[in-house]
Amino acid sequence: MIMKVRKAKVKPTEKIKSDLRDEWELTFNTVPDLMMILDTEHRILRVNKAMADRLELKPEQCIGVHCYEVAHGLLHHHGFCPHALTCQDNREHSVEVHEPRLGGDFLISATPIFDGGKLIGSIHIARDITERKKMEQVKDEFISMVSHELKTPLTVIIGALSTAMDERVPAEEARELLNDAVTHAGILANLVDNLLELSRQQSGRLIIQTQPTDVRELTKNVLQKLKNKSYVHQLVDNIPRTLPPASAESIRVERIIYNLVDNAIKYSPNGGKVKVSARQDGDYLVVGVSDQGPGISPDDQAKLFQSFERLGAAVKGSIQGTGLGLRVCLILVEAHGGKIWVESEKGKGSTFLFTLPVAKG
């Protein structure tokens, strides 16, 4: 039997080239990175839509112009220009720069283009890394703050214990030094615990194991731990005995209350009452921590629960901190299915409130 072979239809070469050009053009103009194709004299041969839009120009207005004129507003290229380096050694080069004309921080790279083994230019790509640089700055500032916050209580603990061990120190003074060491050890432990909670949440390892929890008892524990934190504040427990138990993990709820009371002490530097109260509202308990400080402006209230926000600079005489405590409160409250917020007026103190589900049965 003779089989007939059907010949495939072959597109004309020019048609194939046209299709490939169209596909390349579409890809080139839909890439979000800012892209240019340059010749060896830094003249622009092609720009993509993202670059033209960022420069607020039409693509054709860029053609033939030196890249440093259009992108940087300069009369000659930077000494660290990756395209210039690529033209020197025929290799790919990258650099991170802040470029005001383009409105941010960019990772700029130049990849060589060859024709018959000869360098004819480069593909110049600028990737916007502004948000990444901001996060790196926040991280660096946070590490600096935490290092300071860790060092301060450690210095007190080491100094107090070293002095208390001196046999020449009277017993009463040694006892006071030991109390100072215990207090600052508690401050240090609280900071470490907050860091661990944040780490668990960011890595998806935060697990809440609920059981009937006595909020009143936890509050008494917190106030006992913090009673020596300040001698100008009166810590008050205003929780009724009839309050039903919450469905919560006790160690996490104690951490929330501790952070809020500690915060109230920090941000009411002139002293006064710090009161913890609670009530039932339907299926939830509403727990509040109030202070008699200067209050918080609406603008600052909007930033309170963001990572590493601190209002110490705005509250004269307040104790500086990492800004971590309120963020951890938000994480732990939401992990329990509750919510947290603040009610405050300038000059009238602040009340931080959060909810926890009531234990069933």
Side-chain angles (χ1 to χ4, degrees), residues 255-276:
R255 173 142 312 285
I256 296 166
I257 298 171
Y258 186 105
N259 284 346
L260 292 179
V261 174
D262 185 50
N263 222 52
I265 292 171
K266 287 179 181 177
Y267 291 100
S268 53
N270 295 324
K273 286 185 179 180
V274 174
K275 181 175 68 175
V276 184

Side-chain angles (χ1 to χ4, degrees), residues 102-114:
L102 297 177
D105 295 288
F106 292 85
L107 172 62
I108 300 177
S109 62
T111 303
I113 303 173
F114 298 96

Side-chain angles (χ1 to χ4, degrees), residues 289-305:
V289 177
S290 304
D291 63 56
Q292 294 179 315
I296 305 169
S297 70
D299 287 343
D300 283 336
Q301 289 181 38
K303 299 185 294 183
L304 274 177
F305 298 101

